[in-house]
Amino acid sequence: MGILEAFSRQDVQAQVLVTLTLVGLAPLIYCVYNVWFHPLSRYPGPLLWRAMRLPYMRAAWSGRVHLIVQELHRKYGEVVRIAPDELSFAMSAAWDDIYSNQGHPAFPKSQTWHGNPPGYDTSVFNALDIKDHARQRRAMDPGFTERAVLRQEPIVQRYADVFIQRLSERTAGSAQKSTTVNIMEWINFVAFDIIGDLAFGESFHCLEEVKYHDWMSFTFNTIKANYYVVTLRHYPLLFNFLMLLIPKSVMERQKAHWGFAGEKVDRRIASNADHPDIISLLERQNEKGRDGITLGEMHANAALFILAGSETTVTLLTGIMNHLLKDPGSMETLKKEIRGSFASLEDMNFTALKQLPYLNAVIKEALRMCNPTPYGLVRISPPQGGRVGGHWVAGNTYVTIHPLTLSFSEQLFYEPYVWHPERWLEDAQTNSSSPFYNDDRKCVKTFGHGLRACIGEPLAWAEMRLILSKLLHAFDIIKADTPRSEIIWEEQNVLGVLEKHPLDVTLVERAD
Ligand code: HEM
């Protein structure tokens, strides 16, 4: 009996059977369509990944997706289909095509990856609408320029000094004039205190109390939980069902948590303090009327600044310490440059530090090797489709540049797995006999690219230069005699944020 016949004869039993068969076959039909008939079917990738999103989700939940996709690029080439509707690119040329307004508008962010849950105010990071993003960005740009960062220098200097002072107390108090600390944690303390003061006008007191603030631990657990949730948004029915299962009390706790950031901002505004922090600059923009951002957006952005401005710099600085400990020659060169340039810690300032070539090269090499977002920055192609790196991409396709693949490519870098800050020095760029002459330095864009690139880049550079230089000026740093004296970088998982392992170092009071 044919399907149509069953339905036309109103044979209920046959109809149920046919319906169940079709429902049962639907996933198979969906997979067959994705592999052979989908507009992206000509792009290479593992069969199961092309057929359904589950393998990608499994990789994402394992915390290893950045490394797995790197392997896929090795196997399949510059463009890999990593889900039925997602392409990963490993080509320099694609940066402009995806992220900047060159030839066509930059590809936007998507509700799936970047949209806010209902009831939350939108930060600049979550603003999906281009005009909305531009308005927020215009309002906050003045708070993040090189000039604004110079005004904020006293705040950063103060915490960098307390950081050194607290560590010095530990070395001074020991008979060997040395102390062994988890430097990742200490860098976290100073970075949180700095960004807390800049974003809220008050410190988190991590350095004072030598411990994390509760808000931070809660935030990072929330990010992790959200990461799982976001990957599920690709299945809206399942997503909505699972959201219903989350107890109301958990949702309320989450809201209260973000409310804490709002309270701090409100307190800061009410205090009317003459403090050169970011909030004061946002307020000043608001007073001008035109381009201001709402109070709710200010709350959302303050919380964003804390996350974006601490997590990333801590990853970079911890990565640098890890590499310097493994390469004593590099540590020595950097130490000599810093100590030769400044007689004392007080002489260091943002402007002078910017001039140190090896210090800058060290940070650039870390930006290449220790990227805090190694999985890439997902965007979605416009409904009419577009060209990326010379390839036609169908409409509504998720696209990413895979930074890890570019940074560790043998074709793009000489000895990509080796720590070589020299590749960023002028000689490497002008002397054709340098082994690094042909390195594709421009493909490293760890601060992102285009209109949505990192607003905090000048602050991040200034802060990283200062903390690193003060540390190397004040102490001789040696490998600790503990099991946590080295981080195997690839062993760290990435679940929205890179889950940093501890790094013990021994700080010895300077002998000279
Ligand atoms: C080494 C340090 C840092 C790195 C590597 C870094 C990296 C990035 C990247 C890659 C993006 C683009 C995200 C995307 O396109 O989806 C971004 C955006 C952003 N970053 Fe940073 N960041 C760093 C430090 C900071 C600091 C210190 C702040 C200060 C608050 C900050 C604030 C922001 C904000 C507000 C955005 C959103 C910009 C927008 O959407 O227009 N970042 N960052």
Side-chain angles (χ1 to χ4, degrees), residues 109 124-125 133 137 308-309 312 379 446-448 452 454-456 460:
K109 287 186 172 177
V124 71
F125 183 79
H133 173 262
R137 190 74 196 223
T312 44
R379 299 291 190 266
T446 309
F447 287 100
R452 305 196 79 130
C454 180
I455 199 171

Side-chain angles (χ1 to χ4, degrees), residues 99 109 114 123-127 133 137 140 144 195 199 278 301 304-314 316 363 367 370-373 376-379 445-449 451-461 463-464:
Y99 302 96
K109 287 186 172 177
H114 294 98
S123 72
V124 71
F125 183 79
N126 298 116
H133 173 262
R137 190 74 196 223
M140 58 182 62
F144 289 93
I195 199 70
I278 298 168
N301 280 302
L304 165 69
F305 297 157
I306 300 289
L307 295 178
S310 59
E311 199 31 48
T312 44
T313 44
V314 177
L316 264 295
I363 295 175
L367 285 164
C370 312
N371 190 334
T373 50
L377 313 165
V378 187
R379 299 291 190 266
K445 296 192 190 296
T446 309
F447 287 100
H449 188 56
L451 302 175
R452 305 196 79 130
C454 180
I455 199 171
E457 183 172 351
L459 173 63
W461 270 99
E463 193 181 323
M464 290 191 290

Side-chain angles (χ1 to χ4, degrees), residues 19-90:
T19 309
L20 285 180
T21 310
L22 284 178
V23 169
L25 281 178
L28 187 67
I29 295 168
Y30 168 75
C31 290
V32 167
Y33 167 78
N34 282 338
V35 173
W36 284 286
F37 303 102
H38 192 282
L40 301 181
S41 58
R42 67 192 176 83
Y43 287 104
L47 182 71
L48 278 179
W49 293 57
R50 286 183 284 139
M52 57 182 120
R53 188 166 270 278
L54 288 178
Y56 176 91
M57 282 167 69
R58 192 163 159 249
W61 290 0
S62 74
R64 320 294 296 159
V65 70
H66 54 299
L67 295 164
I68 296 171
V69 173
Q70 186 185 19
E71 270 313 305
L72 295 182
H73 274 294
R74 279 208 187 101
K75 187 164 176 195
Y76 294 99
E78 287 182 319
V79 191
V80 184
R81 191 172 171 206
I82 56 172
D85 54 354
E86 184 159 349
L87 295 175
S88 175
F89 289 84

Side-chain angles (χ1 to χ4, degrees), residues 480-493:
D481 188 15
T482 71
R484 307 189 308 182
S485 63
E486 189 184 324
I487 298 178
I488 314 288
W489 205 254
E490 319 70 72
E491 286 182 358
Q492 301 175 115
N493 284 343

Side-chain angles (χ1 to χ4, degrees), residues 330 333 358 361 419-428 436 441:
S330 181
T333 309
Y358 195 74
W419 173 256
H420 281 306
E422 297 73 22
R423 72 174 89 244
W424 300 95
L425 293 175
E426 203 186 325
D427 180 66
F436 311 110
R441 283 165 285 263

